[in-house]
Amino acid sequence: MDELLIIKNLKTYFYTDEGVVKAVDDVSLRINRGQTLCIVGESGCGKSITAMSILRLIPDPPGKIEGGEIIFEGKDLLKLSDDEVREIRGNKISMIFQEPMTSLNPVFTIGNQIIEAIMLHQKLDKKEATKKSVEALKLVGIPRAEEIINAYPHELSGGMRQRAMIAMAMVCNPTLLIADEPTTALDVTIQAQILDLMRKLKEETKTSIMLITHDLGVVAEMAEYVTVMYAGKVVEEADVIELFKNPKHPYTLGLLESKPQIHIDKEKLYSIPGQVPNPFNLPKGCYFFPRCERAMEICKEVMPTLKEVGNGHKVACHLYGGDNNE
Amino acid sequence: MRQYITRRLLEMIPVLIGISILIFVIFQLAPGDAVSAIVDPKTSAETKAKLREQLHLNEPILVQYKYWVMDILKGQWGESFYYKQPVSRVINSFIWNSFYLSLASFLLSAILSIPIGVLSATKQYSKFDYIFTIFALIGISMPSFFFGLLLIKWFAVDLKLFPVSGMTNPGSTATGFALFKEVMHHMALPLIVLTLGSLAGLMRYTRSSMLEVIRQDYIRTARAKGLREKVVIYKHALRNALIPVVTIFGMSLPGLFSGAIITEQIFNWPGIGPIELQAVNTRDYPLLMGINMLLALLTLLGNLIADVTYALVDPRIRLK
């Protein structure tokens, strides 16, 4: 397999007045060229922080990447100088964010903001960059691109803004696109359009996508490989079909259970009992133990490690892997 | 835009009428009348009565208001009791001195406050930030009469670097650039006093505005694009952070003309500030009313300028 990005034992901590939050705690994952990886989890599970760590966009203070490696095309991003990372940002790895309403600068035109990225990374002059921006806007399905280029963000709808964000992210032909809940703030029909667009662009450009979401519907539609995170740790990862067919971790099972299904008539939607643990006061053993319906004695004391259970399926749970528990 | 400005200018007319009524009524309520202010207390009652008649002071208040407004519309702001000169001439001969001083202080504090505010925000809780926070606290809390005297003691009396007071040397005949140099030399100390006061506030304002902006999502987007930190801060963030600051600049227009009473008094700067104070003490009502009307007009214009600049810097604001 041709690996594009390998994250090894990434640790991103936040130092707050109340204590240290281990937002990303020993996370490892990988993305192959041309692959779409989905990272799934509840709010605050560290999925966005993982993504931001890749581009070293963690605000410091209070955040700090405390350890691990992020190998992109053979180079450890964490060891590069600030200038070298800047050359990768928006060029080889670009990112789109959850809130299209606030992710574009309100005082500059759409064109201005896209041209800026092109001129920065491709050393084109303004005229060529403008032409390229119009093409990029057309590619993401924005009508009247020649006019929209002179529009300010507030003059566009949420869906259009997210398209513009995608145009901005794709304009330098990145090899990896990180999309942090790109459809969460959009209404359902627009969501589908944006996902279609991303899939189309991926097929055309062979860009790998790291898609962060809490929506399993989006996962089913987009992912080839899935990583499930809980409280800063990876609890399960597998091929998308394997994961949906054969989910192992009680948390993943819970997530799947709490997804509404059209053809099943249920009085009330299932929800995982309890709440996401307090990051300042994590349980000693498995972080999911207090909410787990199948918790055992060992779960209270020992943190399970991620182990292969066949079919490339890995899970961090004491229910699987029997006697090789440490 | 032109339509908007025209409409706003027209709207100013009723507001100004309202202000003129208020000013007139308030000065009518003030104790004593013009006659008791202008004449020698030993003057006979007869002469006083004649004078009252001449000044229309025996007429009903509405009639008096009419006389005053008619005169203002004719460009006659009345005659200052104290200076025995037309009010407009008195104002004109002092207000520009105040304006030069205030403008210099305004420009200096704008030029200094913005970069300091930005640096304090981007390096929040650093030594730089703390030093300027303390500096701002001192600037805000130090009374100008004290600070002014301190500067005079140090730099004018002890070190003899700057003149103690005035705007030019006594009996100076300098013109052109020599005059400019002389005025600048005299201006230095009052300028420092005035700038310290306004700089502190503006700096803190820029800082908090900047702190809010650099936490915005679009700043993260700018970084994710690979822009240099300088471009992120000075292009993407500053442009947004300055929007509220620009409004404050627009509103400081009347302040440029109203003079700094205390500072001008201490440095004996021939500005309008001490004249205002003197007019109050001598019950020079025509002069006071003239100054107040002028400041009211400037305040309204300042607000209009603030609104227009607001629309110019923020594309989300469209004036209709």
Side-chain angles (χ1 to χ4, degrees), chain B residues 181-230:
Chain B
K181 248 174 71 182
E182 200 178 306
V183 171
M184 284 319 231
H185 195 216
H186 282 78
M187 195 190 270
L189 294 184
L191 182 62
I192 293 173
V193 174
L194 283 182
T195 307
L196 184 77
S198 56
L199 173 66
L202 275 176
M203 191 180 94
R204 295 300 284 179
Y205 209 86
T206 312
R207 178 181 180 269
S208 64
S209 176
M210 194 70 185
L211 275 177
E212 203 182 300
V213 168
I214 54 178
R215 281 170 179 60
Q216 296 293 319
D217 289 350
Y218 53 80
I219 297 304
R220 187 181 54 186
T221 310
R223 288 209 178 97
K225 247 191 262 185
L227 295 174
R228 306 187 148 273
E229 196 56 24
K230 274 215 170 76

Short mmCIF file of all heavy atoms in Angstrom, two decimals, chain B residues 181-230:
data_model
loop_
_atom_site.label_atom_id
_atom_site.label_comp_id
_atom_site.label_asym_id
_atom_site.label_seq_id
_atom_site.Cartn_x
_atom_site.Cartn_y
_atom_site.Cartn_z
N LYS B 181 9.16 75.36 13.35
CA LYS B 181 10.09 74.72 14.28
C LYS B 181 9.87 75.24 15.70
O LYS B 181 9.88 74.48 16.67
CB LYS B 181 11.54 75.00 13.84
CG LYS B 181 12.24 73.74 13.36
CD LYS B 181 13.61 74.03 12.80
CE LYS B 181 14.62 74.43 13.87
NZ LYS B 181 15.94 74.75 13.23
N GLU B 182 9.65 76.53 15.78
CA GLU B 182 9.46 77.15 17.08
C GLU B 182 8.19 76.62 17.75
O GLU B 182 8.18 76.25 18.92
CB GLU B 182 9.36 78.66 16.89
CG GLU B 182 9.64 79.46 18.12
CD GLU B 182 9.57 80.95 17.82
OE1 GLU B 182 10.26 81.42 16.90
OE2 GLU B 182 8.78 81.63 18.50
N VAL B 183 7.12 76.51 16.95
CA VAL B 183 5.85 76.01 17.48
C VAL B 183 6.00 74.55 17.92
O VAL B 183 5.55 74.15 18.99
CB VAL B 183 4.72 76.16 16.43
CG1 VAL B 183 3.47 75.44 16.89
CG2 VAL B 183 4.44 77.62 16.17
N MET B 184 6.69 73.75 17.08
CA MET B 184 6.90 72.35 17.43
C MET B 184 7.65 72.22 18.75
O MET B 184 7.32 71.37 19.57
CB MET B 184 7.71 71.65 16.32
CG MET B 184 6.90 71.34 15.09
SD MET B 184 5.29 70.73 15.55
CE MET B 184 5.19 69.30 14.62
N HIS B 185 8.64 73.08 18.91
CA HIS B 185 9.42 73.05 20.13
C HIS B 185 8.54 73.32 21.36
O HIS B 185 8.64 72.66 22.38
CB HIS B 185 10.55 74.10 20.01
CG HIS B 185 11.63 73.93 21.02
ND1 HIS B 185 12.28 74.99 21.58
CD2 HIS B 185 12.18 72.81 21.55
CE1 HIS B 185 13.17 74.53 22.44
NE2 HIS B 185 13.14 73.21 22.43
N HIS B 186 7.66 74.26 21.21
CA HIS B 186 6.75 74.59 22.30
C HIS B 186 5.68 73.51 22.49
O HIS B 186 5.15 73.33 23.56
CB HIS B 186 6.04 75.93 22.04
CG HIS B 186 6.91 77.12 22.33
ND1 HIS B 186 7.89 77.55 21.45
CD2 HIS B 186 6.96 77.96 23.39
CE1 HIS B 186 8.49 78.61 21.96
NE2 HIS B 186 7.95 78.88 23.14
N MET B 187 5.36 72.86 21.38
CA MET B 187 4.26 71.88 21.43
C MET B 187 4.67 70.59 22.12
O MET B 187 3.83 69.87 22.66
CB MET B 187 3.80 71.59 20.00
CG MET B 187 2.47 70.89 19.90
SD MET B 187 2.16 70.35 18.23
CE MET B 187 1.32 71.77 17.54
N ALA B 188 5.96 70.28 22.11
CA ALA B 188 6.41 68.95 22.53
C ALA B 188 5.81 68.50 23.87
O ALA B 188 5.20 67.42 23.95
CB ALA B 188 7.94 68.94 22.60
N LEU B 189 5.96 69.31 24.90
CA LEU B 189 5.50 68.87 26.22
C LEU B 189 3.97 68.70 26.30
O LEU B 189 3.50 67.65 26.73
CB LEU B 189 6.02 69.81 27.32
CG LEU B 189 7.54 69.81 27.52
CD1 LEU B 189 7.92 70.70 28.69
CD2 LEU B 189 8.08 68.41 27.72
N PRO B 190 3.19 69.73 25.90
CA PRO B 190 1.74 69.49 25.94
C PRO B 190 1.32 68.31 25.07
O PRO B 190 0.38 67.57 25.41
CB PRO B 190 1.12 70.80 25.42
CG PRO B 190 2.24 71.60 24.87
CD PRO B 190 3.49 71.12 25.51
N LEU B 191 2.04 68.11 23.97
CA LEU B 191 1.74 66.98 23.08
C LEU B 191 1.93 65.66 23.82
O LEU B 191 1.10 64.75 23.73
CB LEU B 191 2.64 67.06 21.85
CG LEU B 191 2.43 65.99 20.79
CD1 LEU B 191 1.04 66.07 20.23
CD2 LEU B 191 3.45 66.15 19.66
N ILE B 192 3.01 65.56 24.58
CA ILE B 192 3.27 64.32 25.32
C ILE B 192 2.14 64.08 26.33
O ILE B 192 1.62 62.98 26.45
CB ILE B 192 4.64 64.40 26.04
CG1 ILE B 192 5.76 64.41 25.02
CG2 ILE B 192 4.81 63.20 26.99
CD1 ILE B 192 7.13 64.66 25.62
N VAL B 193 1.73 65.13 27.03
CA VAL B 193 0.67 64.97 28.03
C VAL B 193 -0.62 64.49 27.38
O VAL B 193 -1.25 63.52 27.83
CB VAL B 193 0.42 66.31 28.76
CG1 VAL B 193 -0.77 66.19 29.69
CG2 VAL B 193 1.65 66.71 29.54
N LEU B 194 -1.01 65.15 26.28
CA LEU B 194 -2.27 64.80 25.63
C LEU B 194 -2.20 63.40 25.02
O LEU B 194 -3.15 62.62 25.11
CB LEU B 194 -2.59 65.80 24.53
CG LEU B 194 -3.15 67.14 24.96
CD1 LEU B 194 -3.46 67.99 23.75
CD2 LEU B 194 -4.40 66.93 25.79
N THR B 195 -1.06 63.08 24.42
CA THR B 195 -0.93 61.79 23.74
C THR B 195 -0.96 60.64 24.74
O THR B 195 -1.60 59.63 24.50
CB THR B 195 0.36 61.74 22.91
OG1 THR B 195 0.38 62.87 22.06
CG2 THR B 195 0.41 60.50 22.07
N LEU B 196 -0.28 60.84 25.87
CA LEU B 196 -0.27 59.76 26.86
C LEU B 196 -1.70 59.38 27.25
O LEU B 196 -2.03 58.20 27.35
CB LEU B 196 0.50 60.19 28.11
CG LEU B 196 0.65 59.08 29.15
CD1 LEU B 196 1.72 58.10 28.73
CD2 LEU B 196 0.96 59.62 30.53
N GLY B 197 -2.54 60.40 27.43
CA GLY B 197 -3.92 60.12 27.82
C GLY B 197 -4.69 59.35 26.78
O GLY B 197 -5.33 58.35 27.08
N SER B 198 -4.61 59.80 25.52
CA SER B 198 -5.44 59.15 24.50
C SER B 198 -4.82 57.87 23.98
O SER B 198 -5.51 56.92 23.63
CB SER B 198 -5.71 60.11 23.35
OG SER B 198 -4.49 60.56 22.81
N LEU B 199 -3.48 57.82 23.97
CA LEU B 199 -2.78 56.64 23.49
C LEU B 199 -3.18 55.40 24.29
O LEU B 199 -3.49 54.35 23.74
CB LEU B 199 -1.27 56.87 23.60
CG LEU B 199 -0.36 55.69 23.30
CD1 LEU B 199 -0.48 55.31 21.85
CD2 LEU B 199 1.09 56.03 23.61
N ALA B 200 -3.21 55.57 25.60
CA ALA B 200 -3.50 54.43 26.47
C ALA B 200 -4.83 53.79 26.12
O ALA B 200 -4.92 52.58 25.93
CB ALA B 200 -3.49 54.91 27.92
N GLY B 201 -5.85 54.62 25.99
CA GLY B 201 -7.17 54.08 25.70
C GLY B 201 -7.23 53.41 24.33
O GLY B 201 -7.69 52.28 24.21
N LEU B 202 -6.71 54.11 23.32
CA LEU B 202 -6.76 53.56 21.96
C LEU B 202 -6.01 52.24 21.85
O LEU B 202 -6.43 51.31 21.18
CB LEU B 202 -6.14 54.56 20.98
CG LEU B 202 -7.05 55.65 20.45
CD1 LEU B 202 -6.26 56.59 19.57
CD2 LEU B 202 -8.19 55.02 19.65
N MET B 203 -4.88 52.20 22.54
CA MET B 203 -4.04 51.01 22.51
C MET B 203 -4.79 49.80 23.09
O MET B 203 -4.80 48.72 22.52
CB MET B 203 -2.84 51.33 23.37
CG MET B 203 -1.71 50.41 23.33
SD MET B 203 -0.51 51.14 24.46
CE MET B 203 -0.93 50.26 25.93
N ARG B 204 -5.43 50.04 24.22
CA ARG B 204 -6.18 48.95 24.85
C ARG B 204 -7.36 48.55 23.97
O ARG B 204 -7.73 47.39 23.90
CB ARG B 204 -6.69 49.37 26.24
CG ARG B 204 -5.62 49.63 27.23
CD ARG B 204 -4.77 48.42 27.47
NE ARG B 204 -5.39 47.41 28.30
CZ ARG B 204 -4.82 46.26 28.62
NH1 ARG B 204 -3.61 45.99 28.18
NH2 ARG B 204 -5.44 45.37 29.38
N TYR B 205 -7.92 49.54 23.31
CA TYR B 205 -9.05 49.25 22.44
C TYR B 205 -8.62 48.40 21.26
O TYR B 205 -9.26 47.40 20.93
CB TYR B 205 -9.66 50.57 21.96
CG TYR B 205 -11.12 50.43 21.70
CD1 TYR B 205 -12.02 50.61 22.73
CD2 TYR B 205 -11.59 50.10 20.44
CE1 TYR B 205 -13.37 50.45 22.51
CE2 TYR B 205 -12.94 49.94 20.22
CZ TYR B 205 -13.83 50.12 21.26
OH TYR B 205 -15.16 49.94 21.04
N THR B 206 -7.51 48.79 20.62
CA THR B 206 -6.98 48.00 19.51
C THR B 206 -6.64 46.60 19.99
O THR B 206 -6.92 45.61 19.32
CB THR B 206 -5.70 48.64 18.94
OG1 THR B 206 -5.95 50.03 18.74
CG2 THR B 206 -5.30 48.02 17.64
N ARG B 207 -6.06 46.51 21.16
CA ARG B 207 -5.65 45.21 21.69
C ARG B 207 -6.86 44.29 21.84
O ARG B 207 -6.84 43.16 21.37
CB ARG B 207 -4.96 45.39 23.04
CG ARG B 207 -4.52 44.09 23.71
CD ARG B 207 -3.88 44.37 25.06
NE ARG B 207 -3.45 43.16 25.72
CZ ARG B 207 -4.23 42.47 26.56
NH1 ARG B 207 -5.46 42.87 26.80
NH2 ARG B 207 -3.77 41.38 27.14
N SER B 208 -7.91 44.77 22.49
CA SER B 208 -9.04 43.88 22.74
C SER B 208 -9.75 43.53 21.44
O SER B 208 -10.19 42.40 21.25
CB SER B 208 -10.01 44.49 23.75
OG SER B 208 -10.58 45.64 23.22
N SER B 209 -9.81 44.49 20.53
CA SER B 209 -10.44 44.22 19.24
C SER B 209 -9.63 43.15 18.49
O SER B 209 -10.18 42.22 17.90
CB SER B 209 -10.50 45.51 18.44
OG SER B 209 -11.01 45.30 17.17
N MET B 210 -8.33 43.28 18.54
CA MET B 210 -7.44 42.34 17.87
C MET B 210 -7.53 40.95 18.50
O MET B 210 -7.56 39.94 17.80
CB MET B 210 -6.01 42.89 17.98
CG MET B 210 -5.04 42.23 17.07
SD MET B 210 -5.37 42.69 15.37
CE MET B 210 -4.18 41.64 14.57
N LEU B 211 -7.60 40.92 19.83
CA LEU B 211 -7.67 39.62 20.53
C LEU B 211 -8.92 38.87 20.10
O LEU B 211 -8.91 37.65 19.96
CB LEU B 211 -7.73 39.85 22.04
CG LEU B 211 -6.39 40.03 22.73
CD1 LEU B 211 -6.59 40.30 24.20
CD2 LEU B 211 -5.53 38.78 22.54
N GLU B 212 -9.99 39.62 19.90
CA GLU B 212 -11.23 38.98 19.49
C GLU B 212 -11.09 38.43 18.08
O GLU B 212 -11.50 37.31 17.78
CB GLU B 212 -12.34 40.02 19.56
CG GLU B 212 -13.71 39.43 19.69
CD GLU B 212 -14.75 40.53 19.70
OE1 GLU B 212 -14.66 41.39 20.60
OE2 GLU B 212 -15.58 40.54 18.80
N VAL B 213 -10.47 39.24 17.20
CA VAL B 213 -10.38 38.84 15.80
C VAL B 213 -9.45 37.64 15.60
O VAL B 213 -9.77 36.74 14.84
CB VAL B 213 -9.92 40.04 14.93
CG1 VAL B 213 -9.53 39.58 13.54
CG2 VAL B 213 -11.03 41.07 14.85
N ILE B 214 -8.32 37.60 16.32
CA ILE B 214 -7.39 36.50 16.04
C ILE B 214 -7.90 35.15 16.51
O ILE B 214 -7.30 34.13 16.21
CB ILE B 214 -5.95 36.75 16.60
CG1 ILE B 214 -5.99 37.07 18.08
CG2 ILE B 214 -5.26 37.83 15.83
CD1 ILE B 214 -4.59 37.28 18.66
N ARG B 215 -9.02 35.13 17.22
CA ARG B 215 -9.63 33.86 17.57
C ARG B 215 -10.67 33.41 16.55
O ARG B 215 -11.29 32.37 16.68
CB ARG B 215 -10.30 33.97 18.93
CG ARG B 215 -9.32 33.90 20.07
CD ARG B 215 -9.97 34.26 21.39
NE ARG B 215 -9.05 34.16 22.49
CZ ARG B 215 -7.92 34.85 22.62
NH1 ARG B 215 -7.56 35.68 21.67
NH2 ARG B 215 -7.13 34.70 23.66
N GLN B 216 -10.89 34.21 15.53
CA GLN B 216 -11.93 33.90 14.56
C GLN B 216 -11.51 32.76 13.63
O GLN B 216 -10.32 32.55 13.39
CB GLN B 216 -12.25 35.13 13.71
CG GLN B 216 -12.82 36.29 14.50
CD GLN B 216 -14.18 36.00 15.07
OE1 GLN B 216 -15.01 35.39 14.39
NE2 GLN B 216 -14.41 36.37 16.30
N ASP B 217 -12.52 32.09 13.09
CA ASP B 217 -12.25 30.98 12.18
C ASP B 217 -11.47 31.40 10.94
O ASP B 217 -10.63 30.67 10.45
CB ASP B 217 -13.57 30.34 11.72
CG ASP B 217 -14.25 29.59 12.85
OD1 ASP B 217 -13.61 29.41 13.90
OD2 ASP B 217 -15.41 29.19 12.68
N TYR B 218 -11.77 32.60 10.42
CA TYR B 218 -11.11 32.97 9.17
C TYR B 218 -9.62 33.23 9.35
O TYR B 218 -8.86 33.19 8.38
CB TYR B 218 -11.78 34.16 8.48
CG TYR B 218 -11.99 35.38 9.34
CD1 TYR B 218 -10.96 36.27 9.58
CD2 TYR B 218 -13.23 35.65 9.90
CE1 TYR B 218 -11.16 37.40 10.35
CE2 TYR B 218 -13.44 36.77 10.68
CZ TYR B 218 -12.40 37.64 10.90
OH TYR B 218 -12.59 38.74 11.67
N ILE B 219 -9.20 33.47 10.58
CA ILE B 219 -7.77 33.61 10.83
C ILE B 219 -7.12 32.23 10.73
O ILE B 219 -6.04 32.07 10.17
CB ILE B 219 -7.53 34.26 12.21
CG1 ILE B 219 -8.10 35.67 12.22
CG2 ILE B 219 -6.05 34.28 12.57
CD1 ILE B 219 -7.56 36.57 11.13
N ARG B 220 -7.83 31.22 11.26
CA ARG B 220 -7.33 29.84 11.12
C ARG B 220 -7.27 29.47 9.64
O ARG B 220 -6.31 28.86 9.18
CB ARG B 220 -8.28 28.91 11.88
CG ARG B 220 -7.79 27.49 11.95
CD ARG B 220 -8.78 26.62 12.69
NE ARG B 220 -10.12 26.72 12.10
CZ ARG B 220 -11.19 26.15 12.62
NH1 ARG B 220 -11.12 25.48 13.73
NH2 ARG B 220 -12.36 26.28 12.03
N THR B 221 -8.31 29.87 8.87
CA THR B 221 -8.30 29.59 7.44
C THR B 221 -7.09 30.22 6.78
O THR B 221 -6.42 29.59 5.97
CB THR B 221 -9.57 30.15 6.77
OG1 THR B 221 -10.71 29.72 7.50
CG2 THR B 221 -9.68 29.69 5.34
N ALA B 222 -6.81 31.48 7.15
CA ALA B 222 -5.67 32.18 6.55
C ALA B 222 -4.38 31.44 6.86
O ALA B 222 -3.52 31.27 5.99
CB ALA B 222 -5.60 33.61 7.07
N ARG B 223 -4.26 30.94 8.09
CA ARG B 223 -3.04 30.19 8.45
C ARG B 223 -2.99 28.88 7.67
O ARG B 223 -1.94 28.48 7.19
CB ARG B 223 -3.03 29.88 9.95
CG ARG B 223 -2.77 31.09 10.78
CD ARG B 223 -2.08 30.71 12.09
NE ARG B 223 -1.81 31.93 12.83
CZ ARG B 223 -2.60 32.39 13.79
NH1 ARG B 223 -3.67 31.71 14.16
NH2 ARG B 223 -2.32 33.51 14.40
N ALA B 224 -4.17 28.22 7.55
CA ALA B 224 -4.21 26.93 6.88
C ALA B 224 -3.85 27.06 5.40
O ALA B 224 -3.49 26.11 4.75
CB ALA B 224 -5.59 26.29 7.02
N LYS B 225 -4.00 28.27 4.86
CA LYS B 225 -3.64 28.53 3.47
C LYS B 225 -2.14 28.58 3.29
O LYS B 225 -1.64 28.57 2.18
CB LYS B 225 -4.19 29.91 3.09
CG LYS B 225 -5.29 29.89 2.08
CD LYS B 225 -5.55 31.30 1.60
CE LYS B 225 -6.74 31.90 2.31
NZ LYS B 225 -7.07 33.23 1.77
N GLY B 226 -1.42 28.74 4.39
CA GLY B 226 0.03 28.80 4.31
C GLY B 226 0.56 30.22 4.30
O GLY B 226 1.72 30.45 3.96
N LEU B 227 -0.28 31.19 4.64
CA LEU B 227 0.18 32.58 4.65
C LEU B 227 1.18 32.79 5.78
O LEU B 227 1.09 32.15 6.83
CB LEU B 227 -1.01 33.52 4.84
CG LEU B 227 -2.04 33.53 3.72
CD1 LEU B 227 -3.23 34.38 4.11
CD2 LEU B 227 -1.42 34.07 2.45
N ARG B 228 2.07 33.72 5.56
CA ARG B 228 3.01 34.08 6.63
C ARG B 228 2.25 34.73 7.77
O ARG B 228 1.25 35.40 7.55
CB ARG B 228 4.05 35.10 6.13
CG ARG B 228 4.75 34.66 4.91
CD ARG B 228 5.89 35.61 4.56
NE ARG B 228 6.92 34.80 3.95
CZ ARG B 228 7.87 34.17 4.66
NH1 ARG B 228 7.94 34.33 5.95
NH2 ARG B 228 8.75 33.42 4.06
N GLU B 229 2.80 34.57 8.96
CA GLU B 229 2.15 35.11 10.15
C GLU B 229 1.93 36.62 10.01
O GLU B 229 0.90 37.15 10.42
CB GLU B 229 2.99 34.77 11.37
CG GLU B 229 2.29 34.93 12.72
CD GLU B 229 1.02 34.11 12.85
OE1 GLU B 229 0.86 33.10 12.14
OE2 GLU B 229 0.16 34.51 13.67
N LYS B 230 2.89 37.31 9.41
CA LYS B 230 2.75 38.77 9.23
C LYS B 230 1.54 39.11 8.38
O LYS B 230 0.80 40.04 8.67
CB LYS B 230 4.01 39.33 8.55
CG LYS B 230 5.12 39.66 9.50
CD LYS B 230 5.88 40.90 9.00
CE LYS B 230 6.84 41.40 10.05
NZ LYS B 230 8.05 40.58 10.15
#
